[in-house]
Amino acid sequence: MPKLTNVRERVHQPFRDTLIRTSGMYTGAITDVTRLFTVAGKTEGETNLPNGSTLPSDQSMVVLACRVFTHFRNSIQRSTVPLSIGGLPILAANGDFVFPTALADAQNFSNLLNGQAVGSPEDCFRLWWQAQDQLLWSFGAGDKFSITSMPSSYFPYGGGLAQGQMVQTDLIYWSNGQPSHEGILRLARAVLIPPRQNIKCEAQVSPLSALANASTVSSSQGSRNMLSLRDNLNAPDLINKVVSFTFDGLFSRDVQ
C-alpha cells in the first residue's frame, strides 16, 4: 500500500522487549550484562518490536516514560489424589506439573543436589527483591545512554497484579509498583529516537557479595549462587519468570 509523502501521524505506542520469559522448567542463559532490542524475529510474547534494534520503516519516537515489568509465580504440583493438611490442599488436581513416579515430590527433582529444587513462594519473594535491587537498567538511543545504571525499582510498571499475599494460600501477587497508570516513571526530559537510530537498552545484574564469608555461610547451593539474581533466574526451579523493559511515548509513523 503506498504511503502519503511528507505526511505522518503521531500515536501513543509503547514498545517492549523481554530479558527473560520462561516456565522455569529448563536452565536459562541470562548473563550479567544483556543487551535488549537487538535480536530480530522474537515471538510476540517476547517483544512487539520484531525489527530488533530499530523502529520499523524509518519511523521515529519521542520516549516519555520507561517501565520494567517483573512477574514470578511458583508452579503448582499436580497429583491424581490431592493431599491436604488441616483442610488446606498441598497438591492440586490441576497443577502445572507432576513428577513421573507415584510418590514423587520435590526431592525427586534430578538437579536437587545442585541447588535446583522446586521453587516455593519464598523463592518468588527472593526473585522479586533481587530484581528490584540487583537488576540495573540503562536506556537511550544511538551510541549514548540517556539513563544509566538505575535499578528496576526506579521504573515502576504502573499496571499488573496487586502487591500482597492472599489469605490462607501460598499464592503471592506482586508487581513493580502499584497497579495504576499514575505510578510510572515520567521522564524529566524526553528521549528522542530518530529514524534508523539504534535503540540502546542494557540490563546488568549486580549481585550481592558475601566476600570471604561465602564458604562460611554457604551462600551457594551446588553451582548456584543464591545471592545472585542471574543464577536464580537461570535455575530450572519450575518458577514462572518474566522480566521485560518498555519504553513508552509518542510514535511517529507514515500514513498510508
Side-chain angles (χ1 to χ4, degrees), residues 232-244:
N232 290 325
L233 287 177
N234 289 332
D237 52 8
L238 279 67
I239 292 179
N240 303 163
K241 306 163 190 170
V242 182
V243 178
S244 64

Side-chain angles (χ1 to χ4, degrees), residues 24-240:
M25 296 185 180
Y26 55 89
T27 301
I30 299 298
T31 60
D32 280 341
V33 179
T34 304
R35 288 284 306 275
L36 275 70
F37 300 101
T38 58
V39 179
K42 285 187 174 182
T43 66
E44 191 73 18
E46 295 173 297
T47 184
N48 63 341
L49 187 62
N51 290 36
S53 60
T54 61
L55 298 173
S57 304
D58 288 347
Q59 318 291 25
S60 62
M61 188 164 183
V62 178
V63 180
L64 302 175
C66 296
R67 314 174 187 225
V68 171
F69 178 73
T70 55
H71 171 72
F72 309 108
R73 185 186 75 86
N74 55 300
S75 293
I76 301 170
Q77 186 174 348
R78 181 172 70 254
S79 172
T80 54
V81 181
L83 303 178
S84 65
I85 297 178
L88 296 178
I90 59 174
L91 296 178
N94 296 315
D96 302 313
F97 72 97
V98 61
F99 287 108
T101 59
L103 299 177
D105 56 25
Q107 293 182 349
N108 292 108
F109 201 45
S110 60
N111 289 326
L112 178 62
L113 295 180
N114 198 31
Q116 317 295 7
V118 175
S120 67
E122 289 78 10
D123 291 301
C124 293
F125 269 115
R126 181 196 296 112
L127 283 165
W128 189 85
W129 292 327
Q130 291 181 340
Q132 302 311 299
D133 171 61
Q134 296 185 22
L135 188 54
L136 308 177
W137 297 90
S138 300
F139 176 76
D143 296 327
K144 293 183 178 179
F145 289 121
S146 296
I147 299 175
T148 304
S149 192
M150 292 301 294
S152 297
S153 56
Y154 188 72
F155 304 92
Y157 193 73
L161 301 175
Q163 299 180 16
Q165 182 171 358
M166 294 184 67
V167 178
Q168 294 184 335
T169 79
D170 62 0
L171 184 59
I172 295 171
Y173 291 100
W174 214 290
S175 65
N176 184 21
Q178 295 294 328
S180 165
H181 282 282
E182 297 176 351
I184 64 173
L185 170 65
R186 296 171 178 83
L187 301 182
R189 187 174 183 87
V191 176
L192 305 180
I193 304 179
R196 298 181 298 280
Q197 190 73 273
N198 286 337
I199 299 161
K200 193 172 178 65
C201 182
E202 185 176 280
Q204 177 180 346
V205 177
S206 181
L208 297 177
S209 175
L211 296 178
N213 290 324
S215 59
T216 303
V217 299
S218 299
S219 58
S220 294
Q221 290 182 229
S223 61
R224 178 180 174 185
N225 179 7
M226 304 306 294
L227 300 178
S228 170
L229 174 65
R230 177 203 62 205
D231 285 6
N232 290 325
L233 287 177
N234 289 332
D237 52 8
L238 279 67
I239 292 179
N240 303 163

